[in-house]
Amino acid sequence: MRIFFITCLWCVTLLTVPQSHAALQVVTTTEDLAAIARAVGGDHIKVESLTPGSRDPHFAEAKPSMIRKVYGADLLLLIGAEMEIGWLPLLLRSGRNSQVLSGNPGYLDLSRTITLLGKPTGPVSRDMGDVHAQGNPHYWLDPENGLLMAQAISERLVALDPDHSNAYRSNLASFQQRLTNKIKEWQITLAPLKGSEVIAYHTSLIYLASAFGFQIVDEVESKPGIAPTAAHLNQLIKRIEDDQIKLLIMEPYYEQRSAKFLQDKTGIRIGVIPQSVGAKSGIDDYIQLFDAIVSALKQTGSF
Ligand SMILES: [Zn+2]
């Protein structure tokens, strides 16, 4: 009985005292970053995303559960380029974890590893709408950028946890190999879309367009982040008709009334594009994300 008691106590201690070899705690601002981190980190890290893939990543509410995640993190991965500007600074102040603040090894802003598109050429003012001064932050929607993001995450994991550097490097190599093969497959499927003019709801799909060679010529929003006006929708009808634009693409979290209105007037096809891992069930990793995007585009029947 006594031996049993001591053994149990030992079990409990093992379960509650943090282990020196415990998995690295990685917290990400989005599910896309979490998915890439999981692919590279494997069993040696524990990953949690602060936001679900089903919501617009520009917005989040700082909840106590999110503050706890930041507090316990060894590494924070963020999209950067002002994507999280509305909610992350407050969370970092509340999280009281200097390790994951900018400038420290536990802080990795992935936008620094990417050549950003859509950098405004002149000064940015409020009446331009939600324009990001450093460039467009929706860069994970080019799968080639996923290769670079995985590389940067792997390098940081190696620096923070050198004991498992071999695993991080080999996980990276196999992820990059799988992704590279899939990119070739997606390029073939979407080849007929090359050179087409497309309308998007928000300025968020320019990386997808650049990856697969189509062109986004206008947005449903009047200005980034600003709901469409009747006058703007009328201009769009004219443009869709004049230029014979056949496809409108948008994320699932935007209102669909405006797109349906344009469809009623012009017959344009609507492609609802799952923009993130977790945007809908069955999209659990970065490769499944693009499989779902490519099939959503194909299903519009516009090409
Ligand atoms: Zn945006």
Side-chain angles (χ1 to χ4, degrees):
M1 187 65 196
R2 191 158 172 201
I3 291 173
F4 175 75
F5 178 71
I6 291 169
T7 314
C8 270
L9 202 66
W10 182 68
C11 292
V12 170
T13 311
L14 260 190
L15 287 172
T16 51
V17 173
Q19 299 296 295
S20 57
H21 291 288
L24 212 63
Q25 304 289 313
V26 179
V27 164
T28 68
T29 57
T30 69
E31 287 289 359
D32 307 290
L33 291 169
I36 298 174
R38 272 184 206 110
V40 173
D43 298 339
H44 300 301
I45 65 172
K46 191 170 166 288
V47 189
E48 286 183 299
S49 172
L50 292 168
T51 65
S54 53
R55 299 247 188 92
D56 184 342
H58 294 96
F59 308 103
E61 218 182 301
K63 291 188 200 131
S65 61
M66 295 157 83
I67 296 168
R68 272 198 299 278
K69 286 177 189 171
V70 169
Y71 178 74
D74 298 307
L75 173 61
L76 170 73
L77 304 177
L78 63 146
I79 293 291
E82 300 182 348
M83 172 60 94
E84 303 96 341
I85 198 168
W87 57 275
L88 188 60
L90 171 67
L91 206 55
L92 289 181
R93 275 198 299 279
S94 313
R96 297 179 183 279
N97 177 359
S98 60
Q99 211 174 319
V100 298
L101 295 184
S102 174
N104 292 328
Y107 179 97
L108 181 58
D109 174 349
L110 274 305
S111 70
R112 303 291 167 87
T113 64
I114 304 290
T115 307
L116 296 179
L117 303 176
K119 230 172 233 179
T121 43
V124 173
S125 72
R126 276 198 155 233
D127 55 83
M128 293 161 73
D130 180 23
V131 170
H132 303 292
Q134 294 164 45
N136 189 306
H138 299 267
Y139 57 82
W140 69 92
L141 286 168
D142 180 343
E144 297 277 351
N145 287 341
L147 297 170
L148 300 173
M149 293 159 76
Q151 169 94 40
I153 294 170
S154 160
E155 281 165 12
R156 187 59 60 93
L157 291 176
V158 167
L160 290 174
D161 180 22
D163 287 355
H164 298 115
S165 54
N166 286 343
Y168 297 139
R169 290 194 182 109
S170 81
N171 291 345
L172 171 69
S174 86
F175 175 73
Q176 288 185 323
Q177 186 61 59
R178 271 184 295 134
L179 184 54
T180 305
N181 290 340
K182 288 297 282 191
I183 290 172
K184 287 179 198 147
E185 191 186 308
W186 299 323
Q187 289 289 2
I188 291 168
T189 311
L190 296 184
L193 196 55
K194 273 214 166 83
S196 312
E197 296 193 330
V198 174
I199 307 269
Y201 190 93
H202 176 67
T203 56
S204 42
L205 300 168
I206 59 171
Y207 292 91
L208 186 68
S210 112
F212 295 103
F214 59 91
Q215 218 191 325
I216 292 176
V217 292
D218 214 332
E219 278 93 32
V220 177
E221 287 180 334
S222 313
K223 288 172 185 174
I226 295 171
T229 60
H232 179 63
L233 289 176
N234 284 326
Q235 278 167 17
L236 280 176
I237 291 170
K238 187 164 177 350
R239 178 152 204 186
I240 291 166
E241 283 169 348
D242 288 352
D243 298 349
Q244 298 185 11
I245 300 173
K246 295 188 179 60
L247 178 60
L248 185 161
I249 54 178
M250 62 187 294
E251 289 93 335
Y253 50 71
Y254 289 119
E255 55 88 18
Q256 292 192 8
R257 221 163 42 110
S258 308
K260 293 257 164 68
F261 171 76
L262 294 172
Q263 185 172 48
D264 284 348
K265 299 287 177 192
T266 65
I268 195 167
R269 305 286 177 97
I270 301 172
V272 177
I273 303 299
Q275 81 299 332
S276 278
V277 171
K280 56 180 200 177
S281 66
I283 309 180
D284 298 324
D285 67 34
Y286 191 69
I287 287 174
Q288 286 175 3
L289 170 64
F290 286 92
D291 276 336
I293 291 173
V294 169
S295 100
L297 286 169
K298 193 91 190 115
Q299 272 168 26
T300 62
S302 62
F303 60 93

